[in-house]
Amino acid sequence: MTDLLSRDEYHAIADGLSMMTNSYINGKFVSAKSGKTYETTNPATGEVIARITSCGKEDVDYAVQKAKQAFESGHWSRMHPGERKAILIKLVKLMKRHRYELQVLESLDSGKPIREIATIDFPETLECLAWYAEAADKLYDQISPSTDDAVGLIVREPIGVVACVLPWNFPLQMLGWKAGPALAAGNSVIVKPASETSMSALRVAELAGEAGVPPGVFNVITGPGSTVGVALGTHPDIGAISFTGSTEIGRRVLEYSAHSNLKKVTLELGGKNPAVVLEDAEEMDDVAEQVVRAMFWNMGENCSSNSRLIVHTKHKEDLLPRLMDKLRDWKIGDPLDPQNSLGAMISQRHFDDVLHYIEVGKKEGASVVTGGEPLDLGAGLFIPPTIFADVTPEMTIAKDEIFGPVLTIHTVGSDDEAIDLANDTVYGLQATVFCAHGKKALRAARRIKAGTVSVNCYCEGDITTPFGGYKLSGFGGRDNGLHAFEQYTETKTIWLDLGEHEIDARLD
Ligand code: NDP
């Protein structure tokens, strides 16, 4: 699965691709009722690669109607879970067969390096879908403690129509994280991909149809969040919405729910995650490698990127040159060249935002250690890894989620100070602790207010472990693991009276 092709081979695949442009509703590709479309560009070249259907409220209403009909028909929702599993496994096999096409589509749409897509995003997406497929027929319900006179069945049921609103930074993977458990649980799903990165989700929906997912069960609706996202969030027939994106829009999704039908809401939002190097940390070379990956993987366009390096003063002088050394392995450029580990920023707007933060950092007095200026690679949106030293906690770059390749370094005199600074943020998604002393590392992990804390390595956990955030990083539930099923199922109690009252009465 991690078989990389050459740059020329990837470009040849790109040249021969047929682009997915229409929404996929009720098992068919359809255009918007208004006929509207919008351009999607390759951020690495600036070229328009396709015009995507721009749906409106009427298209959302149609998709929800079809998804609801599909749910109520029971063809998927009441199918034996083992059959659902078999169909989802078939989808995984089809995706594997079409891997080069899907990987290149993803790279063209997002500017992500093919190397990372082929070795991380794509295999993890397949693993995720297969894991939830396998889980479908292994989830048992419960029986309450009772006497012989009654039994309480505690059963989980699919909710109905579920909306999944996706971000642009991991389009395929987030599709897997959300649609995987939602479908495995028996729901009908409407996916709204980010406007910049719709095409891989459309192709997966088509493959799902080929695998045997019935029409109306797996829909992908394209168009702007300001219309499609709002229409999904406020729709009275959508029972749950799972959202990944900015905290600002996440708050609105909660409001849509409050003002419509109180649909279940799960939000996976931003982060300003710390990598904390405690006094007892060892093996600075490994630490440097992990810190660089934690920060710059996916160009820092990652909600769990470790954008604040909090380092005990004892290690600072040793660590900094090692960071610079490790950075040399992170080549930036053409995302379809597998030599490159860094690609383009997602959009002109986001590119401008990140550069603005870099300028603010300079103005507020932080010193640029490396980077700090955009790269001139034609019309592509490339920003090199940028590291700031002399950063104080109140600086804008130390507080705001930049969502780009910008690392701030903070030096502290004690482990307590390090933990306090790690927690000095409105977010709480992920943190990394480096410490060779097991007890101290565990104590630090306990004290950090974050949904995931990895120790002596940068990690978000894996498909078996829940992922989500404290504070402004999340709300309402977790992705991944069996915990994700909580998002997509209702709990029902069925109380059976087994007493023999009538029989007793007749015998009297
Ligand atoms: P948004 O929160 O705007 O977008 C995320 C998703 O929500 C997209 O599918 C978007 O659609 C949709 N959306 C947009 N507006 C609405 C709305 N009013 N109602 C419902 N859905 C809506 O993120 P951005 O793409 O603008 O990125 C901005 C910042 O958000 C980033 O810089 C980063 O800080 C953070 N972010 C965090 C992510 C994470 O992994 N937690 C992922 C992406 C961004 P559309 O694309 O059509 O606008």
Side-chain angles (χ1 to χ4, degrees), residues 76-87:
W76 183 257
S77 54
R78 291 195 292 277
M79 179 184 271
H80 189 283
E83 285 180 56
R84 284 205 295 268
K85 171 176 86 173
I87 291 172

PDB file of all heavy atoms in Angstrom, residues 76-87:
ATOM      1  N   TRP A  76     -30.411  -0.648   4.341  1.00  0.00           N
ATOM      2  CA  TRP A  76     -29.088  -0.553   4.988  1.00  0.00           C
ATOM      3  C   TRP A  76     -29.242  -0.569   6.509  1.00  0.00           C
ATOM      4  O   TRP A  76     -28.556  -1.296   7.206  1.00  0.00           O
ATOM      5  CB  TRP A  76     -28.395   0.727   4.534  1.00  0.00           C
ATOM      6  CG  TRP A  76     -27.007   0.919   5.066  1.00  0.00           C
ATOM      7  CD1 TRP A  76     -26.627   1.752   6.076  1.00  0.00           C
ATOM      8  CD2 TRP A  76     -25.808   0.271   4.621  1.00  0.00           C
ATOM      9  NE1 TRP A  76     -25.271   1.672   6.280  1.00  0.00           N
ATOM     10  CE2 TRP A  76     -24.737   0.769   5.398  1.00  0.00           C
ATOM     11  CE3 TRP A  76     -25.538  -0.681   3.638  1.00  0.00           C
ATOM     12  CZ2 TRP A  76     -23.419   0.358   5.222  1.00  0.00           C
ATOM     13  CZ3 TRP A  76     -24.224  -1.095   3.458  1.00  0.00           C
ATOM     14  CH2 TRP A  76     -23.187  -0.581   4.250  1.00  0.00           C
ATOM     15  N   SER A  77     -30.189   0.225   7.002  1.00  0.00           N
ATOM     16  CA  SER A  77     -30.284   0.413   8.458  1.00  0.00           C
ATOM     17  C   SER A  77     -30.681  -0.875   9.174  1.00  0.00           C
ATOM     18  O   SER A  77     -30.299  -1.083  10.323  1.00  0.00           O
ATOM     19  CB  SER A  77     -31.280   1.527   8.784  1.00  0.00           C
ATOM     20  OG  SER A  77     -32.530   1.270   8.168  1.00  0.00           O
ATOM     21  N   ARG A  78     -31.475  -1.730   8.493  1.00  0.00           N
ATOM     22  CA  ARG A  78     -31.873  -2.982   9.152  1.00  0.00           C
ATOM     23  C   ARG A  78     -31.204  -4.205   8.513  1.00  0.00           C
ATOM     24  O   ARG A  78     -31.550  -5.336   8.806  1.00  0.00           O
ATOM     25  CB  ARG A  78     -33.406  -3.122   9.125  1.00  0.00           C
ATOM     26  CG  ARG A  78     -34.109  -2.109  10.032  1.00  0.00           C
ATOM     27  CD  ARG A  78     -35.569  -2.472  10.298  1.00  0.00           C
ATOM     28  NE  ARG A  78     -36.387  -2.361   9.102  1.00  0.00           N
ATOM     29  CZ  ARG A  78     -36.921  -1.239   8.633  1.00  0.00           C
ATOM     30  NH1 ARG A  78     -36.733  -0.101   9.285  1.00  0.00           N
ATOM     31  NH2 ARG A  78     -37.650  -1.222   7.535  1.00  0.00           N
ATOM     32  N   MET A  79     -30.272  -3.949   7.642  1.00  0.00           N
ATOM     33  CA  MET A  79     -29.493  -5.044   7.049  1.00  0.00           C
ATOM     34  C   MET A  79     -28.707  -5.739   8.171  1.00  0.00           C
ATOM     35  O   MET A  79     -28.311  -5.088   9.141  1.00  0.00           O
ATOM     36  CB  MET A  79     -28.505  -4.427   6.034  1.00  0.00           C
ATOM     37  CG  MET A  79     -27.602  -5.390   5.326  1.00  0.00           C
ATOM     38  SD  MET A  79     -26.440  -4.439   4.283  1.00  0.00           S
ATOM     39  CE  MET A  79     -27.348  -4.294   2.761  1.00  0.00           C
ATOM     40  N   HIS A  80     -28.450  -7.035   8.030  1.00  0.00           N
ATOM     41  CA  HIS A  80     -27.634  -7.697   9.053  1.00  0.00           C
ATOM     42  C   HIS A  80     -26.266  -7.001   9.100  1.00  0.00           C
ATOM     43  O   HIS A  80     -25.662  -6.755   8.043  1.00  0.00           O
ATOM     44  CB  HIS A  80     -27.470  -9.188   8.716  1.00  0.00           C
ATOM     45  CG  HIS A  80     -26.826  -9.939   9.830  1.00  0.00           C
ATOM     46  ND1 HIS A  80     -25.462  -9.871  10.077  1.00  0.00           N
ATOM     47  CD2 HIS A  80     -27.348 -10.736  10.789  1.00  0.00           C
ATOM     48  CE1 HIS A  80     -25.176 -10.606  11.136  1.00  0.00           C
ATOM     49  NE2 HIS A  80     -26.306 -11.137  11.589  1.00  0.00           N
ATOM     50  N   PRO A  81     -25.782  -6.684  10.293  1.00  0.00           N
ATOM     51  CA  PRO A  81     -24.492  -5.978  10.380  1.00  0.00           C
ATOM     52  C   PRO A  81     -23.367  -6.701   9.638  1.00  0.00           C
ATOM     53  O   PRO A  81     -22.448  -6.059   9.127  1.00  0.00           O
ATOM     54  CB  PRO A  81     -24.203  -5.933  11.879  1.00  0.00           C
ATOM     55  CG  PRO A  81     -25.507  -6.139  12.551  1.00  0.00           C
ATOM     56  CD  PRO A  81     -26.387  -6.916  11.618  1.00  0.00           C
ATOM     57  N   GLY A  82     -23.437  -8.014   9.584  1.00  0.00           N
ATOM     58  CA  GLY A  82     -22.412  -8.776   8.861  1.00  0.00           C
ATOM     59  C   GLY A  82     -22.431  -8.459   7.368  1.00  0.00           C
ATOM     60  O   GLY A  82     -21.377  -8.454   6.707  1.00  0.00           O
ATOM     61  N   GLU A  83     -23.625  -8.190   6.842  1.00  0.00           N
ATOM     62  CA  GLU A  83     -23.712  -7.827   5.412  1.00  0.00           C
ATOM     63  C   GLU A  83     -23.177  -6.403   5.194  1.00  0.00           C
ATOM     64  O   GLU A  83     -22.507  -6.126   4.205  1.00  0.00           O
ATOM     65  CB  GLU A  83     -25.158  -7.906   4.932  1.00  0.00           C
ATOM     66  CG  GLU A  83     -25.656  -9.309   4.728  1.00  0.00           C
ATOM     67  CD  GLU A  83     -27.103  -9.300   4.249  1.00  0.00           C
ATOM     68  OE1 GLU A  83     -27.411  -8.676   3.222  1.00  0.00           O
ATOM     69  OE2 GLU A  83     -27.928  -9.894   4.957  1.00  0.00           O
ATOM     70  N   ARG A  84     -23.505  -5.525   6.145  1.00  0.00           N
ATOM     71  CA  ARG A  84     -22.933  -4.162   6.037  1.00  0.00           C
ATOM     72  C   ARG A  84     -21.416  -4.245   6.055  1.00  0.00           C
ATOM     73  O   ARG A  84     -20.725  -3.558   5.306  1.00  0.00           O
ATOM     74  CB  ARG A  84     -23.423  -3.276   7.194  1.00  0.00           C
ATOM     75  CG  ARG A  84     -24.833  -2.784   7.049  1.00  0.00           C
ATOM     76  CD  ARG A  84     -25.040  -1.485   7.823  1.00  0.00           C
ATOM     77  NE  ARG A  84     -24.906  -1.639   9.254  1.00  0.00           N
ATOM     78  CZ  ARG A  84     -25.910  -1.903  10.084  1.00  0.00           C
ATOM     79  NH1 ARG A  84     -27.136  -2.021   9.621  1.00  0.00           N
ATOM     80  NH2 ARG A  84     -25.692  -2.017  11.374  1.00  0.00           N
ATOM     81  N   LYS A  85     -20.929  -5.082   6.933  1.00  0.00           N
ATOM     82  CA  LYS A  85     -19.473  -5.248   7.017  1.00  0.00           C
ATOM     83  C   LYS A  85     -18.913  -5.679   5.663  1.00  0.00           C
ATOM     84  O   LYS A  85     -17.941  -5.092   5.170  1.00  0.00           O
ATOM     85  CB  LYS A  85     -19.141  -6.315   8.075  1.00  0.00           C
ATOM     86  CG  LYS A  85     -17.682  -6.718   8.082  1.00  0.00           C
ATOM     87  CD  LYS A  85     -17.347  -7.701   9.182  1.00  0.00           C
ATOM     88  CE  LYS A  85     -17.605  -9.118   8.737  1.00  0.00           C
ATOM     89  NZ  LYS A  85     -17.130 -10.104   9.722  1.00  0.00           N
ATOM     90  N   ALA A  86     -19.547  -6.674   5.055  1.00  0.00           N
ATOM     91  CA  ALA A  86     -19.013  -7.218   3.795  1.00  0.00           C
ATOM     92  C   ALA A  86     -18.983  -6.127   2.715  1.00  0.00           C
ATOM     93  O   ALA A  86     -18.023  -6.031   1.940  1.00  0.00           O
ATOM     94  CB  ALA A  86     -19.856  -8.400   3.343  1.00  0.00           C
ATOM     95  N   ILE A  87     -20.020  -5.309   2.682  1.00  0.00           N
ATOM     96  CA  ILE A  87     -20.078  -4.253   1.653  1.00  0.00           C
ATOM     97  C   ILE A  87     -18.990  -3.203   1.914  1.00  0.00           C
ATOM     98  O   ILE A  87     -18.308  -2.735   0.989  1.00  0.00           O
ATOM     99  CB  ILE A  87     -21.491  -3.625   1.607  1.00  0.00           C
ATOM    100  CG1 ILE A  87     -22.476  -4.667   1.061  1.00  0.00           C
ATOM    101  CG2 ILE A  87     -21.505  -2.353   0.772  1.00  0.00           C
ATOM    102  CD1 ILE A  87     -23.933  -4.258   1.134  1.00  0.00           C
TER     103      ILE A  87
END
